Amino acid sequence: MKKYQIVGIGNAIVDVIAQCDDEFLAAMGIEKGIMQLIERERAEKLYAAMAERTEAPGGSVGNTIAGLGNLGLTAAFIGRVADDTLGHFYKAALNAEGTDFPNPPVKGADLPSSRSMIFVTPDGERSMNTYLGISAELSTEDVALEVVENTEMLFLEGYLFDKDHGKAGFLKAAQGCHRGGGRAGISLSDPFCVDRHRDSFRRLVRDEMDFALGNEHEWASLYQTDLESALQQAASECGLVVCTRSGADVVVIRGEERVEVPVNRVVPVDATGAGDQFAAGFLYGIATGQSLEVAGKMGCIAAAEVISHYGARPETDILAQFKQAGLL
């Protein structure tokens, strides 16, 4: 038995969430519905403009790992935080949820801990303004072999591919996971990230990954073709391929097996974390030996739960929902 069933590596970001209207977005120059990277001065300005803000540990794969911990898997998250208030908040919050955070806050760091200002409009759409800070500096020195060699599954966040030391950290982690007999996978994270690092992403998916998750835009961007052709190419190079499609059926391909999992459309209260929690539900199914169809349904249930309330992490018993749906 491995110490961990799942280990994630990603940006350790504190989510700062506030409600607003479209007029506020326009006045602040915030583009609605997307994630924008911002500089430190802009981050401080937006933070000061937030009314009734709430804070929660976040980051895409961080949210997924928290969801898997909520589902009862033994989990750890590898990320980089500074020795500051937000850094200690992040570590303590993960530990309180039952997720290990093996990286100590970095003392004397030049950059502060990362934060994302998330503005949620009445239609449930979220506009994310992310200051990466120290989390984007994750490198091989942050990847402990005793952690990645001792997990059944490893899940990587594509956002960290923006810097060479992040790529090196991913390679070290994936190879360590494989040496320990585990399976490694990645979230493509963002079509613009894919655009910037297409060749490196392709090599990673083809040569190092056992599974890969992305949405329709990310897969089409990765292979620069239509979605169906992109998925066929991905499936020929990677053992397990998952594609979410903005409320349409989820496509899952493993070798010659292909399933399309229907999505029940609901009006979101807050769409933050939908993809992250889909990944949590789906990977829970894979980790526990479920069929592709059942794993896909688990992902859809977890995603539907998180968009029914504010925040990017589950607030109810997802396992109970799986049982109610006849999946367990």
Side-chain angles (χ1 to χ4, degrees), residues 122-125 264-271 304 306-309:
D123 58 2
E125 194 64 73
N264 294 323
R265 287 178 172 270
V266 296
V267 178
V269 172
D270 173 13
V306 81
I307 66 175
S308 70
H309 56 77

Side-chain angles (χ1 to χ4, degrees), residues 41-203:
E41 182 179 351
R42 171 80 167 157
E44 292 171 352
K45 178 181 179 181
L46 293 181
Y47 184 83
M50 302 180 90
E52 297 184 19
R53 52 183 177 250
T54 59
E55 295 178 351
S60 178
V61 165
N63 290 333
T64 297
I65 297 302
L68 285 160
N70 176 274
L71 288 166
L73 297 194
T74 53
F77 180 71
I78 293 172
R80 192 171 176 85
V81 298
D83 182 24
D84 57 19
T85 300
L86 287 182
H88 286 281
F89 166 79
Y90 194 94
K91 181 177 178 67
L94 258 66
N95 291 160
E97 293 172 349
T99 299
D100 284 355
F101 189 73
N103 303 76
V106 179
K107 295 183 181 297
D110 294 331
L111 296 173
S113 295
S114 309
R115 72 289 309 269
S116 181
M117 275 63 66
I118 302 172
F119 296 92
V120 184
T121 42
D123 58 2
E125 194 64 73
R126 86 276 195 225
S127 305
M128 304 172 68
N129 301 265
T130 302
Y131 170 60
L132 289 177
I134 198 174
S135 70
E137 300 300 312
L138 185 139
S139 67
T140 54
E141 68 182 67
D142 301 299
V143 178
L145 289 179
E146 61 266 26
V147 176
V148 295
E149 291 179 352
N150 206 13
T151 183
E152 295 174 11
M153 296 179 72
L154 176 73
F155 192 43
L156 307 172
E157 181 178 310
Y159 285 125
L160 281 175
F161 234 53
D162 263 329
K163 295 189 177 182
D164 288 341
H165 45 247
K167 296 177 185 178
F170 275 13
L171 191 61
K172 177 183 178 181
Q175 292 175 347
C177 176
H178 286 144
R179 277 197 305 274
R183 293 175 287 177
I186 192 169
S187 165
L188 297 183
S189 294
D190 182 87
F192 301 109
C193 189
V194 171
D195 286 341
R196 291 191 293 271
H197 309 285
R198 184 173 289 108
D199 291 342
S200 296
F201 261 119
R202 285 185 180 179
R203 284 194 298 272

Side-chain angles (χ1 to χ4, degrees), residues 20-41:
C20 72
D21 54 27
D22 288 338
E23 289 74 19
F24 176 88
L25 296 182
M28 298 299 293
I30 298 171
E31 189 169 348
K32 184 176 180 178
I34 68 167
M35 193 282 286
Q36 292 179 297
L37 295 178
I38 59 175
E39 297 302 321
R40 189 170 182 171
E41 182 179 351

